[in-house]
Amino acid sequence: EGSLSVLASYLPLKKINLQVGNPLGRPIEAVYWISGETAYIELAQASGLELLPPKERNPLRTTSFGTGELIRHAIQKGARKINLFIGGSSTNDGGMGIAQALGFRFYDVEDNLLDPVGASLKRVFKIVDLGWLNRESIQFTILSDVHNVFCGPEGAAFVYAAQKGATPTEVKLLDDGMKHFAERLNAYSGHFINELPGSGAAGGIGGGMVAMFGAALKNGLDEIMKLTAFENQIKQADWVITGEGKLDNQSLKGKVIFGVSNRCIKYFTPCTIFSGSNSISADEENLLQVTEIKSIIDRANGIEDAMKNAFYYLEQMAYEFAKENF
C-alpha cells in the first residue's frame, strides 16, 4: 500500500475515483490510476486491512470483490494491462472476490452460489466463468513483496491470517479451505499453484489470479525501483535511510528493507534503518550489512508508548543520527 503515491511522482498517471465495496461490502470511495492502456491498482484501496476497525477484521468474512470492481472499471475505460499491487490486504479469499467481480461464479456441491469470502473456500465444488472478459487481450501483472506459497505452514493463512483477525482455529479452517480451493483451481485451469512462490500473497490472490486469469507474479519492489530509477539515486547518495514498522524475519523475504540494503551493498553506500521494533537476530542483521538499526521500542516505555509517541521518538533518533554522522 502506498506504492502508487510513489509512482504518481514519476509517471504520467490519471487518477480515477470510484465507489466500490469495502472488504465487508459497504460502499467506499476508492481510487486507481491509469496511463494509456495501463491501469495501476492498489488492493489496499478497496480491500485493505486499514479500512476496517479491529473488531470487524475477520478473513473468513472479508472479500476482495471491491478490488475486482476497480479492475472491471479500468477495463471498461480501455485498460488492457492491469498492474495490481497487493500489499496490505484484509482478505484470505484466494482471489474469489476479484474473480466474481470479473465474471466468475463459485458453487458448492448442491449448486448453491457461494459468497466470495474465506469461509467459502472449503465449499467450492464448481468454478464457472461467465465470459465477461476476453482474457487473451488483457495482461494481468500481480506485484507483491512476499514469496509465501498458497497453503501449508508457509502459506497465506498460517503466516498472515492472524494479523487479519483470525483466531488459531480460524487459521486452520482457512488453510484447509485454501488446500481445497487449490485443488479446484488445478482441476479448472491446470495450474498447480500450491507451491508457487508468491501464490499466497494477499490471502491467496497471487495464486488465484495466476490460475483464473493467467497473471504474472512479479516482485513489486523490483518493479518500483525500475520505474523510479532507484539505483541511480543510490549511486548519488551519501547515505540511505530506510525504515519499517516491525523489523523481523519477514523483512528479509523480499520486502523493502532487504531490497534497499542489497542495493546499498552493491554501490558501497552507507545505509541506516529506522524501525518501530526490531526482532531480527545478529546473523540476520549481518545479512542486511547496514551501518546501524535504530528502534523506537528500545527507548520507549513499552509498545503502547512507542506507538502513541512514535513521532517524538523518531525525531530523537533522526537528531542523534545526524549528530553522529554529519
Side-chain angles (χ1 to χ4, degrees):
E1 64 273 44
S3 298
L4 298 185
S5 297
V6 174
L7 291 184
S9 300
Y10 292 87
L11 302 177
L13 302 181
K14 179 183 178 183
K15 193 174 185 180
I16 306 292
N17 293 276
L18 186 69
Q19 188 177 86
V20 297
N22 80 352
L24 294 174
R26 294 194 292 263
I28 187 174
E29 190 78 15
V31 301
Y32 69 91
W33 289 259
I34 196 163
S35 178
E37 291 190 342
T38 303
Y40 298 84
I41 297 170
E42 278 188 3
L43 177 140
Q45 277 286 320
S47 312
L49 187 64
E50 295 302 316
L51 298 176
L52 299 176
K55 65 180 181 181
E56 290 188 338
R57 297 173 183 175
N58 184 343
L60 286 170
R61 297 175 54 230
T62 50
T63 179
S64 60
F65 187 86
T67 299
E69 291 180 289
L70 291 174
I71 296 171
R72 185 176 67 205
H73 189 267
I75 292 171
Q76 290 169 346
K77 297 280 282 186
R80 291 297 172 263
K81 293 182 179 179
I82 306 295
N83 291 314
L84 179 61
F85 296 75
I86 58 174
S89 77
S90 65
T91 59
N92 199 122
D93 68 2
M96 287 176 66
I98 291 175
Q100 181 157 312
L102 298 177
F104 275 79
R105 295 294 181 267
F106 304 91
Y107 298 90
D108 67 13
V109 70
E110 296 177 346
D111 217 31
N112 297 307
L113 181 65
L114 296 171
D115 291 330
V117 297
S120 297
L121 291 165
K122 188 72 182 286
R123 298 174 58 200
V124 174
F125 178 74
K126 182 171 65 175
I127 300 172
V128 175
D129 178 7
L130 300 180
W132 289 5
L133 300 181
N134 177 5
R135 294 204 302 277
E136 298 299 318
S137 68
I138 300 171
Q139 177 185 326
F140 289 91
T141 301
I142 310 301
L143 299 115
S144 167
D145 63 359
V146 300
H147 300 131
N148 298 85
V149 293
F150 201 70
C151 50
E154 295 298 316
F158 275 113
V159 176
Y160 296 110
Q163 301 171 17
K164 302 174 185 182
T167 65
T169 300
E170 290 168 341
V171 168
K172 179 65 167 60
L173 188 64
L174 284 164
D175 187 64
D176 288 344
M178 293 289 278
K179 289 175 184 174
H180 173 78
F181 191 48
E183 292 172 2
R184 302 318 305 157
L185 287 174
N186 183 35
Y188 171 79
S189 68
H191 287 281
F192 189 74
I193 59 171
N194 301 49
E195 300 298 325
L196 178 66
S199 61
I205 284 173
M209 292 298 291
V210 168
M212 291 182 279
F213 296 95
L217 297 179
K218 291 190 177 182
N219 182 277
L221 178 63
D222 288 344
E223 292 301 306
I224 290 172
M225 285 183 167
K226 287 177 191 174
L227 291 167
T228 58
F230 187 75
E231 292 201 19
N232 286 336
Q233 296 181 59
I234 283 191
K235 286 180 193 176
Q236 298 169 32
D238 296 311
W239 208 293
V240 171
I241 300 170
T242 186
E244 188 162 9
K246 182 180 181 182
L247 189 59
D248 57 21
N249 62 359
Q250 287 294 317
S251 307
L252 307 180
K253 297 180 179 178
K255 291 201 171 184
V256 172
I257 291 282
F258 197 55
V260 171
S261 67
N262 274 349
R263 285 158 178 83
C264 287
I265 293 167
K266 181 179 177 180
Y267 296 108
F268 304 100
T269 304
C271 179
T272 295
I273 295 173
F274 287 2
S275 65
S277 65
N278 175 20
S279 61
I280 64 173
S281 67
D283 287 342
E284 289 168 331
E285 283 194 23
N286 289 335
L287 280 176
L288 290 171
Q289 292 187 43
V290 295
T291 58
E292 187 178 13
I293 298 173
K294 288 183 173 291
S295 174
I296 288 174
I297 200 70
D298 290 340
R299 59 190 68 212
N301 297 313
I303 187 68
E304 187 176 337
D305 177 42
M307 296 179 75
K308 183 178 180 181
N309 298 300
F311 182 89
Y312 168 74
Y313 291 118
L314 188 61
E315 191 174 48
Q316 270 190 355
M317 284 157 47
Y319 177 79
E320 290 170 7
F321 166 79
K323 191 174 180 181
E324 291 164 2
N325 296 291
F326 302 103

